[in-house]
């Protein structure tokens, strides 16, 4: 899951990622029009109001092509629509086109620079996003919005002390849902899960029930309970999110994980397919690989694994062809290739991502796990040391670290980590759980 958490928030959960919908259409050359929502996303009054607002802004621009305020508002609306629908390739390109037209007229437009930085972060162009956010900060150093962008960029580049400073500054300037959510993630990766839960609870309470950002926060809160082994509480928050925002794909995926943890694989498959029918997100397809395997459906699992690779490879190709737009997906591709057994390709893409972000803990965990699967335990240990430097207590990370430590001769420490992970939340990653139990059984 991963992928675009709030309009300016790009924090990465172990699952997640954030959301990627790989439509191949790009924005048209003229004024980009909104795409009709399909399926469940078109139900209810939200889409009627959203579409009317977008069409109103388009009408203003047709009447006055120099109306840069309306152009900026339309770009922001398209960014949000991309987040809701998952159609980032179309809406991100449309928003970027509009923002560039604003910046041609006024290169120092603060809002446009911030939106452009946010788009870069959404596309995983983190260095570019950081540079744009720093440029915007010079124009307006008193904006909470820009400090959120600086937090995100520094997190993704592995500059965690700076990210903490930026998040603290954001909370001083504008304590709101997005500020609390960033604090939550930083606490989580530094091993303070109770503190992360507290901050995400504050984020939920700071939002308006039913809005996408609020329900994303509620799902994130549920996930924190999920990784800390409190499935009943996690399920409760996923159900609440689904009540507040019917058909919400990420709440459905959360309920699917709870069902899978309880070995109710048919329900998990049903919920994940419902989520996929709403938002074609790589994360849902990836999770289906595991659930189909657990349900003894290898053909379906292999089909989903290949589909995951195709989705991610298409996005990576687009990113390589466009420096400004195109979603870098090499970290996700590394894991996807592991599930298809293509270890050389997994290593290739893990290294590509590492070259971009050598200090990021998630990237180091990915490279460590690829080396472990290849049997190169010494190299795996080197990168796992970096991955654990913030003291994250994520059970999947701990189990992987324990497996690597055990293979490199540090048996007591390794088995302690495996045991801790399996006692907390063994259901988070079926493959890692299986390897952990096997390792414990042979010692």
């Amino acid at each position: 899951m991963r992928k675009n958490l709030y309009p300016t928030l790009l924090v990465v959960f172990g699952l997640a990622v954030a959301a990627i919908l790989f439509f191949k259409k790009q924005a048209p050359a003229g004024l980009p029009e909104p795409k009709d929502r399909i399926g469940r996303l078109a139900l209810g009054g939200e889409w009627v109001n959203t579409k009317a607002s977008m069409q109103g802004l388009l009408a203003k621009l047709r009447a006055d092509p120099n109306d840069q305020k309306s152009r900026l508002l339309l770009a922001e609306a398209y960014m949000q629509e991309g987040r809701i629908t998952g159609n980032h390739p179309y809406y991100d390109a449309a928003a970027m086109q509009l923002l560039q037209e604003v910046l041609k007229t006024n290169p120092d437009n603060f809002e446009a620079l911030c939106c452009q930085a946010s788009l870069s972060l959404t596309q995983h162009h983190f260095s570019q996003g950081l540079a744009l956010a720093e440029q915007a900060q010079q124009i307006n150093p008193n904006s909470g919005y820009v400090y959120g962008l600086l937090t995100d960029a520094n997190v993704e580049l592995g500059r965690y002390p700076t990210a903490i400073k930026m998040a603290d500054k954001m909370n001083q300037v504008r304590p709101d849902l997005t500020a609390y959510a960033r604090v939550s993630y930083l606490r989580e990766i530094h091993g303070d899960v109770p503190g992360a839960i507290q901050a995400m609870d504050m984020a939920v309470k700071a939002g308006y029930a039913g809005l996408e950002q609020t329900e994303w926060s509620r799902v994130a809160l549920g996930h924190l309970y999920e990784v800390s082994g409190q499935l009943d509480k996690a399920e409760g928050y996923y159900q609440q999110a689904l009540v507040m925002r019917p058909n919400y794909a990420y709440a459905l995926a959360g309920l699917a994980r709870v069902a899978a943890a309880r070995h109710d694989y048919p329900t998990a498959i049903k919920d994940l397919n419902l989520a996929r029918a709403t938002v074609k997100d790589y994360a849902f397809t990836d999770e289906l690989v595991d659930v189909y395997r657990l349900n003894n459906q290898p053909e379906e699992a292999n089909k989903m694994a290949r589909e995951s690779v195709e989705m991610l490879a298409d996005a990576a190709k687009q990113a390589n062809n466009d420096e400004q737009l195109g979603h870098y997906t090499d970290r996700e591709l590394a894991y996807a290739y592991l599930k298809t057994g293509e270890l050389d390709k997994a290593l290739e893409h893990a290294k590509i991502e590492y070259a971009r972000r050598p200090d990021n803990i998630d990237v180091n965990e990915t490279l460590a796990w690829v080396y472990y699967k290849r049997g190169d335990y010494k190299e795996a240990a080197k990168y796992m040391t970096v991955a654990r430097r913030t003291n994250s207590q994520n059970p999947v990370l701990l189990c992987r670290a324990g497996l690597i430590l055990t293979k490199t001769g540090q048996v007591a420490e390794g088995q302690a980590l495996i045991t801790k992970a399996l006692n907390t939340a063994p259901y988070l990653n079926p493959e890692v759980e299986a390897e952990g139990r096997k390792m414990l059984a042979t010692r």
Side-chain angles (χ1 to χ4, degrees):
M1 292 174 257
R2 289 346 157 182
K3 313 334 197 153
N4 182 14
L5 307 187
Y6 303 100
T8 61
L9 179 58
L10 289 173
V11 296
V12 180
F13 283 90
L15 301 175
V17 244
I20 306 170
L21 212 189
F22 297 91
F23 291 93
K24 293 184 179 180
K25 288 186 178 180
Q26 298 299 314
L31 273 178
E33 298 274 349
K35 299 284 188 182
D36 281 331
R37 291 187 189 178
I38 58 174
R40 295 173 170 230
L41 285 177
L43 301 177
E46 181 186 81
W47 172 232
V48 173
N49 294 332
T50 299
K51 186 175 182 180
S53 175
M54 292 175 179
Q55 293 292 358
L57 291 168
L58 283 166
K60 288 183 178 181
L61 284 170
R62 292 188 188 103
D64 180 6
N66 296 317
D67 183 356
Q68 302 303 341
K69 181 62 176 178
S70 291
R71 184 170 276 108
L72 181 58
L73 288 172
L74 185 60
E76 292 172 344
Y78 282 172
M79 289 168 65
Q80 180 64 11
E81 189 65 11
R83 171 184 165 81
I84 290 172
T85 64
N87 190 353
H88 289 289
Y90 178 82
Y91 280 112
D92 288 359
M96 183 66 78
Q97 174 187 323
L98 294 165
L99 292 171
Q100 287 175 341
E101 290 171 4
V102 173
L103 289 167
K104 281 180 185 177
T105 303
N106 180 7
D108 292 328
N109 186 295
F110 173 75
E111 289 83 2
L113 285 170
C114 284
C115 287
Q116 198 169 38
S118 181
L119 279 174
S120 294
L121 296 176
T122 300
Q123 299 289 326
H124 290 189
H125 295 236
F126 299 119
S127 295
Q128 180 177 313
L130 177 62
L132 287 165
E134 288 175 339
Q135 184 180 347
Q137 182 194 22
Q138 294 299 313
I139 297 169
N140 182 1
N142 299 312
S143 165
Y145 182 55
V146 78
Y147 287 108
L149 294 169
L150 291 167
T151 301
D152 299 338
N154 281 291
V155 162
E156 298 299 346
L157 293 170
R159 302 169 186 175
Y160 302 108
T162 302
I164 291 171
K165 291 178 183 177
M166 296 298 102
D168 286 345
K169 184 69 175 177
M170 184 183 188
N171 275 274
Q172 291 170 13
V173 175
R174 190 184 71 177
D176 64 1
L177 180 152
T178 59
Y180 298 140
R182 287 174 168 91
V183 169
S184 176
Y185 179 68
L186 286 166
R187 287 178 177 176
E188 182 191 3
I189 65 172
H190 285 86
D192 181 9
V193 177
I197 288 173
Q198 178 190 43
M200 194 61 76
D201 182 61
M202 292 171 67
V204 172
K205 290 174 179 175
Y208 292 96
L211 289 184
E212 195 273 340
Q213 293 94 330
T214 306
E215 300 319 314
W216 197 98
S217 301
R218 203 184 308 274
V219 168
L221 179 57
H223 184 62
L224 286 168
Y225 281 113
E226 191 181 336
V227 300
S228 58
Q230 302 178 71
L231 271 181
D232 287 344
K233 287 187 176 180
E235 182 181 29
Y237 282 105
Y238 298 145
Q239 289 174 337
Q240 286 178 36
L242 209 53
V243 169
M244 298 297 180
R245 191 172 180 85
N247 307 312
Y248 191 43
Y250 298 98
L252 284 167
L255 289 174
R257 291 193 301 274
V258 171
R262 293 171 176 161
H263 308 293
D264 183 1
Y265 304 127
T267 296
I269 290 168
K270 175 180 67 71
D271 285 343
L272 282 170
N273 276 312
L274 282 173
R276 280 201 342 141
T278 305
V279 176
K280 190 180 176 185
D281 187 336
Y282 149 77
F284 306 146
T285 305
D286 179 65
E287 289 181 64
L288 273 169
V289 177
D290 295 330
V291 182
Y292 276 128
R293 285 177 179 167
L294 290 168
N295 202 42
N296 297 314
Q297 294 178 261
E299 290 185 5
E300 287 297 323
N302 292 338
K303 177 183 174 183
M304 291 297 102
R306 292 309 313 170
E307 186 174 323
S308 292
V309 166
E310 289 168 7
M311 291 167 72
L312 292 166
D314 184 55
K317 182 178 179 181
Q318 290 180 32
N320 290 334
N321 293 334
D322 190 333
E323 284 298 314
Q324 284 196 317
L325 283 171
H327 201 114
Y328 286 141
T329 60
D330 291 286
R331 177 171 171 262
E332 293 85 355
L333 260 176
Y335 283 120
Y337 277 125
L338 286 180
K339 290 191 177 183
T340 61
E342 298 172 87
L343 301 186
D344 288 345
K345 289 184 177 179
L347 181 59
E348 174 190 346
H349 287 281
K351 284 183 172 180
I352 290 172
E353 192 64 45
Y354 181 80
R356 293 191 192 109
R357 304 189 284 154
D359 297 321
N360 180 275
I361 57 173
D362 296 317
V363 174
N364 277 273
E365 179 185 359
T366 303
L367 194 50
W369 189 239
V370 171
Y371 275 121
Y372 172 85
K373 298 298 286 185
R374 293 171 64 88
D376 191 343
Y377 306 124
K378 184 177 179 180
E379 280 296 290
K382 181 173 71 173
Y383 293 103
M384 184 54 76
T385 298
V386 180
R388 295 185 63 203
R389 80 179 196 272
T390 61
N391 194 39
S392 171
Q393 297 301 299
N394 183 282
V396 176
L397 172 67
L398 294 184
C399 197
R400 285 174 172 158
L403 289 164
I404 292 168
L405 285 168
T406 303
K407 286 291 189 179
T408 54
Q410 300 176 69
V411 178
E413 184 181 356
Q415 293 211 332
L417 288 177
I418 295 170
T419 300
K420 180 177 181 180
L422 295 181
N423 286 342
T424 302
Y427 44 76
L428 286 177
N429 187 306
E431 178 197 24
V432 173
E433 176 194 0
E435 295 218 19
R437 294 195 187 284
K438 181 179 178 180
M439 186 72 76
L440 292 178
T442 57
R443 295 288 170 176

